[in-house]
Amino acid sequence: MEPTATSTTNDGLTVDTYYLECLAQASYLVSHEGNAFLIDPRRDIEIYQHALKSRNLKLRGVLETHLHADFVSGHLELHKHYGVPVIISHNAGSKFPHYGAMDGDVFALSTRYGLKALETPGHTFGCVTWVLYDLSTDTPLKAFTGDTLFVGGVGRPDLVGALDPDATPEILSQNMFNSLAKLLKLGDDVEVLPAHGPGSPCGKGISADLSSTIGKEKATNPALQFTDVAKFVAFNIEGLGQAPQYFPNAVMTNLQGAGGLDEEIQAVARLSPEEFASKQGDDVVVLDTRGADPFAAGYIKSSLNIPLGEGGGVKLEYEDGNFAIWVGTLIKPKASVLLVTEVGKEDESVQRLGRIGYAAQVIGVLSGGVQAWSDAGRVLESYTRHTLAGVPDVEKLQQADSTVIVDARTAGEFNCAVRGHLIGAVNLPLGEIQTAAKALDASKHYVVYCLGGFRSTITTSIMRQHGLDAVDVVGGYERGVLAIARCHTTAQGVCTKNK
């Protein structure tokens, strides 16, 4: 429950960053003189409750930079628990109890510090940057920029068009251009603390750095290099890609305010194998959240494997990935979900689905996991993941007419001149495989890789749902293909022929 990062000044002003790598999402606890504000809180609020209690802090309010599309906020539950106001732009259209902040409104944190609302529309019309000021000198110190300004990028302008016909990407980009100019006036030394990091679908080109300064972004951020609004608009709407299908649903949930996540977790039934089987059907998704190895060793037919990973999604290991984002990309909002988990991971799986508003869709979780399924005499399917044995193995895959090598990364990654791809591979990005798999030749053997192994695991399970003989490469492209057979790829760099 410890914050990802903490900064404290000599007089005790503290900013705690809580960053979820699996959602690429940051929330902040700002405190001084025993008072605190929360900015963009996620739905599982226990981490904030722990911090407030252990440090004897009084929560004064919840500040939202906007109505989020990529995760469900904990603002309403915090409001109910602590009786504090939820403060969000007056332009956000919120339906829950809130205070509609106007440009220039200041909310006192302590006798010295306050948070000022700076209206910065562009990602949505209702975006606010919360600027932490030293009120004694009227000096801006930190800007919590939400989805307006990221480190290395800006918020995408195409996520709210379905909810507001006036919110075209072009109009929002024009707003964004003006908002960025407002931010630059804060001064080069002001720290930038955004709502997202790399891997977030809410922007493009986002850096791995979780914070920056206005001055650094002014010098290095591609979006801040434009003086002509038309050229900025063209830049901002180019190459956005398809947004995950759960985004509109998350916005509508945040618009109304979400109920308690703990109640949703407790409401999920634990099912015997017989009960689980009785609920299966064509309109029900069987989601298996175990890792790639246990899934391959034995899984229920037609399961979709999206590995949960370790550490609650706070820190991603090599083969981990953006669990909730891919759930929301591949599973339709409101679709019924049956869960298969590692024993002991049942509640965590539901909790992490709840972070994007999918917990209420879970109609049951298999009690005892796949072992209980097997013990009940029910069939498990399996396959052997492909471990590259050396260059001859790679050459055999490349030369076999019966084998198709699939690169499940994005087209940009596949065509990257630096990393390249395995020669002979076909590019079928994970985000497109549910459609593409329908047209693939069922007589072929498919060997699938991605960068680290997370997306290829998911891709393999989808291809097997469609009756294809597919396996994934252990270690992915980085530790599998490149480490063993760089000379058989299009990657730049020194190529040493392996014996």
Side-chain angles (χ1 to χ4, degrees), residues 292-293 295-297 318-319 382-400 402-406 422 445-453 456-457 460 464 469-482 484-485:
D293 285 332
F295 180 80
Y318 181 72
E319 283 199 350
S382 64
Y383 59 92
T384 301
R385 303 180 71 202
H386 194 106
T387 300
L388 294 174
V391 170
D393 184 21
V394 174
E395 292 175 340
K396 183 178 178 181
L397 291 176
Q398 290 175 312
Q399 295 166 8
S402 60
T403 297
V404 178
I405 304 170
V406 174
L422 186 60
H445 174 62
Y446 295 89
V447 179
V448 187
Y449 72 83
C450 65
L451 182 61
S456 59
T457 296
T460 298
R464 296 184 75 86
D469 175 23
V471 300
D472 65 313
V473 174
V474 176
Y477 187 69
E478 193 77 10
R479 296 184 181 179
V481 176
L482 276 184
I484 291 170

Side-chain angles (χ1 to χ4, degrees), residues 40 48 53 85 99 181 207 209 214 225 267 354 375 386 393 424 499:
D40 290 341
Y48 314 122
K53 184 177 180 180
Y99 177 87
S207 166
D209 295 329
I214 293 292
Q225 309 310 309
D375 291 345
H386 194 106
D393 184 21
K499 300 293 185 182

